[in-house]
Amino acid sequence: MPAYFTSGWFGNNEAAWHGEGVVTPGTLPATEAFETANALFPVEKRELVYPDTPNESGIGSGGITGYQPSGQYAVVRSDNNDLLGLVTNRYEVVQNEALLRMAEYLREEVDLDTVVVLQNGSKVAFTATIKGATKDVLPGDTVKRRIVGFLGHDGMTGVGAMFTNIRVVCSNTLALAERMASNTVSLRHNAGVNDQFNKLIQSINVQRETFDADIESMQFLASRMVQTGDFTEYLEELYKKDLYVPEDLMNGVEAGQKSLTEFRKTRDMILAFDNGIGMNIPGVKGTWWSAVNAVSEIETSTKRKRTGAQFHKANFGTGYTATKKAMELALQFANA
């Protein structure tokens, strides 16, 4: 299954890049969307056991005489007994109905876009567009602020909400929560987590306000042209760690820096700056907004590279982090 996708629902006739799941026109009520995505399966915590043997020789000498509790636990789908994760006794299960309650609580504030089940149910997430948070950077270049509610049963992923401009259709939601703490509310599965869950939605109004500020930054970048040589300097600064060549006295190599054309990623960004996705939109090409988009295309675009690993990288991993850094650096150059 592509990108660890198990099942899902996608609204507004917008199919996922991987072609899986149920697609419907418009949006759906939260309960119907979760049911369509098969995302309301129950989970439970079960203690693991190990076999007893009559002597130290092991199972091969005398067989198994019984089982001992291990003190370790498995999180299991109750409907099909799939193992989802390994946890300790302190782990508190949060059922998928809690995520549904969050989506229902937000129904006046958002339009639901997707509900996805990942890795056989190890992770469940919904994506919704915040009402009043859809704007054009330039005519035809539309950005939306979305809220992603997520819940993990894998023993590593917490439960919470994050705010992003990306529509989540598959893969892991944890990395963004860890990397983008200011944009995320994430709770561990410790005692009391179910009591805290309803507090997550308190930051939604703040996120609408920060979205307006983000759009102003994007529009500012679209109003500033990149001067000759500045894009090269920009990429060299952005990827200086990747371009750095360490000293290697054994092979006669001095410390230095690769050229941008020697590094595939930056070479592709130079091409995307002139001919990349969206550069045909009037007002984009040659601006600092096009510089950010060139970086974003190579780091994150699943239209360019249709793989599960690329989607994970784009939404929650190094690609998202690199794009955020690209935006911040572009603002520095544009202001200079």
Side-chain angles (χ1 to χ4, degrees):
M1 196 68 72
Y4 310 113
F5 178 86
T6 301
S7 60
W9 161 79
F10 306 102
N12 304 312
N13 281 324
E14 293 182 331
W17 61 266
H18 48 63
E20 303 288 341
V22 178
V23 182
T24 67
T27 187
L28 289 177
T31 299
E32 187 176 348
F34 271 70
E35 289 174 345
T36 302
N38 193 27
L40 292 178
F41 56 86
V43 298
E44 57 186 288
K45 186 173 70 174
R46 300 178 186 172
E47 187 169 13
L48 301 172
V49 298
Y50 61 90
D52 256 346
T53 57
N55 53 54
E56 294 181 357
S57 301
I59 295 174
S61 302
I64 298 173
T65 60
Y67 293 89
Q68 292 289 334
S70 68
Q72 300 297 312
Y73 294 78
V75 181
V76 179
R77 279 186 66 155
S78 306
D79 60 340
N80 61 13
N81 291 317
D82 276 358
L83 174 65
L84 304 180
L86 301 177
V87 299
T88 68
N89 188 39
R90 293 181 299 171
Y91 184 93
E92 182 174 317
V93 170
V94 178
Q95 297 293 342
N96 295 338
E97 282 83 356
L99 199 62
L100 170 60
R101 288 199 306 272
M102 181 182 184
E104 288 179 330
Y105 190 91
L106 293 171
R107 65 183 179 274
E108 300 298 327
E109 297 283 346
V110 304
D111 291 319
L112 205 59
D113 297 321
T114 75
V115 179
V116 294
V117 177
L118 312 172
Q119 293 177 278
N120 297 322
S122 296
K123 303 175 185 68
V124 181
F126 73 81
T127 308
T129 300
I130 300 173
K131 293 179 180 178
T134 299
K135 292 190 176 183
D136 285 352
V137 178
L138 292 164
D141 189 357
T142 303
V143 178
K144 298 179 180 180
R145 176 72 87 203
R146 292 180 165 102
I147 181 171
V148 177
F150 61 92
L151 169 59
H153 303 299
D154 57 358
M156 297 177 290
T157 307
V159 52
M162 65 184 72
F163 298 86
T164 175
N165 298 335
I166 299 169
R167 176 175 177 254
V168 174
V169 298
C170 64
S171 200
N172 186 351
T173 58
L174 176 61
L176 180 60
E178 293 176 335
R179 293 174 182 273
M180 304 288 288
S182 62
N183 257 10
T184 305
V185 182
S186 183
L187 304 174
R188 293 180 179 273
H189 286 261
N190 294 331
V193 64
N194 283 284
D195 295 332
Q196 300 176 49
F197 190 76
N198 286 332
K199 298 178 182 179
L200 295 176
I201 53 89
Q202 294 177 353
S203 57
I204 189 168
N205 289 329
V206 174
Q207 287 299 324
R208 186 181 286 110
E209 292 171 6
T210 62
F211 176 71
D212 291 340
D214 288 347
I215 291 296
E216 288 180 6
S217 294
M218 296 173 189
Q219 290 172 338
F220 171 73
L221 292 176
S223 72
R224 294 294 187 272
M225 301 302 294
V226 178
Q227 303 301 314
T228 303
D230 280 357
F231 187 60
T232 297
E233 185 179 345
Y234 169 75
L235 291 180
E236 287 174 343
E237 175 64 23
L238 194 60
Y239 291 98
K240 60 183 176 182
K241 290 184 179 179
D242 300 282
L243 297 170
Y244 177 71
V245 179
E247 183 181 76
D248 184 358
L249 296 178
M250 293 290 293
N251 294 300
V253 177
E254 296 182 3
Q257 187 172 342
K258 300 177 188 175
S259 72
L260 295 176
T261 54
E262 289 181 87
F263 185 41
R264 180 176 178 179
K265 186 182 290 187
T266 50
R267 182 172 66 245
D268 289 345
M269 288 172 185
I270 292 170
L271 297 175
F273 181 66
D274 289 321
N275 300 299
I277 298 169
M279 299 305 171
N280 60 332
I281 297 174
V284 172
K285 194 168 184 178
T287 66
W288 279 108
W289 180 231
S290 69
V292 172
N293 277 278
V295 174
S296 179
E297 177 181 332
I298 304 307
E299 289 282 8
T300 71
S301 177
T302 53
K303 291 183 179 179
R304 182 183 182 90
K305 188 177 182 182
R306 299 169 69 87
T307 67
Q310 179 72 358
F311 194 91
H312 173 274
K313 177 184 174 186
N315 290 277
F316 315 110
T318 57
Y320 194 99
T321 306
T323 302
K324 180 175 180 288
K325 184 179 177 183
M327 183 80 172
E328 293 169 350
L329 186 60
L331 286 168
Q332 293 178 29
F333 271 79
N335 276 304

